[in-house]
Amino acid sequence: QVQLQESGPGLVKPSQTLSLTCAVSGASITSGDFYWTWIRQPAGKGLEWIGRMYRSGSTHYNSTLRSRVTISLDTSNNRFSLKLTSVTAADTAVYYCARGGLERRNWFDPWGQGTLVTVSS
Amino acid sequence: SYVLIQSPSVSVAPGQTARITCGGNYIGRKSVHWYLQRPGQAPVVVVYDDSDRPSGIPERFSGSKSGNTATLTISRVEAGDEADYYCQVWDSSGDQAVFGGGTKVTVL
């Protein structure tokens, strides 16, 4: 059974960089046809896809966040990471990591439980 | 950028049928996925690739498409179905995933 678990600081100051990690168990991030994905959800609002990375290094990012986002794989520790620079209060959200498939199999399953990140001084 | 439109809310009595719609241009050409999200929990996929169900999801959940609209149908609604539901596709033009705004299902 594949499981994902997010971790990272719950509080980030404005203009700084948000950094989160997603630990994957039950599967290797270097095998299979899957994209390793970040999604976020501001309180009381809908889901926003942030971006994804494939084991080859191929990445896709949300066009509205592309200039500030980096997703990377840590194959030694079977985890992947999110960095979001120059954060503002608008980046306050629950951040989820998830596994996504290729082509028409581009749904997200499973998801991590989510981690709340608040941007505040 | 690609947009998916969902009605904000749907109310349904127990035992009745809830229909949640998701509208988008050329959605017929895309693979549509549906998620259920209960308060404080992560989303869970209930229908993928338009109409397939993951193991463990009751047959009461079904997906369909017609024209520019995809529909998630919940038959014989139960109190436990009360949740937010989101549709999702991949926008191949923008190379990014897109979610609908979500529909809150209230069981009366």
Side-chain angles (χ1 to χ4, degrees), chain B residues 85-108:
Chain B
Y85 291 82
Y86 295 90
C87 57
Q88 176 249 316
V89 301
W90 181 262
D91 171 24
S92 54
S93 297
D95 257 349
Q96 57 188 53
V98 176
F99 288 96
T103 298
K104 181 175 182 60
V105 170
T106 300
V107 181
L108 302 171

Side-chain angles (χ1 to χ4, degrees), chain A residues 1-3 25-27 110:
Chain A
Q1 180 185 0
V2 180
Q3 293 183 312
S25 59

Side-chain angles (χ1 to χ4, degrees), chain B:
Chain B
S1 60
Y2 193 78
V3 176
L4 291 172
I5 302 296
Q6 294 183 241
S7 297
S9 62
V10 168
S11 297
V12 58
Q16 299 304 302
T17 298
R19 292 181 179 84
I20 304 160
T21 60
C22 175
N25 288 337
Y26 307 111
I27 201 171
R29 303 178 186 177
K30 301 180 185 298
S31 180
V32 182
H33 321 300
W34 292 92
Y35 302 87
L36 171 163
Q37 184 181 34
R38 296 187 173 94
Q41 297 186 19
V44 174
V45 61
V46 292
V47 167
Y48 64 87
D49 200 6
D50 299 339
S51 59
D52 290 333
R53 270 187 318 277
S55 60
I57 300 301
E59 291 183 6
R60 301 185 298 105
F61 290 83
S62 62
S64 61
K65 282 194 309 191
S66 178
N68 282 336
T69 302
T71 301
L72 175 69
T73 301
I74 311 172
S75 304
R76 303 180 299 283
V77 166
E78 302 174 357
D81 298 333
E82 189 163 281
D84 293 325
Y85 291 82
Y86 295 90
C87 57
Q88 176 249 316
V89 301
W90 181 262
D91 171 24
S92 54
S93 297
D95 257 349
Q96 57 188 53
V98 176
F99 288 96
T103 298
K104 181 175 182 60
V105 170
T106 300
V107 181
L108 302 171

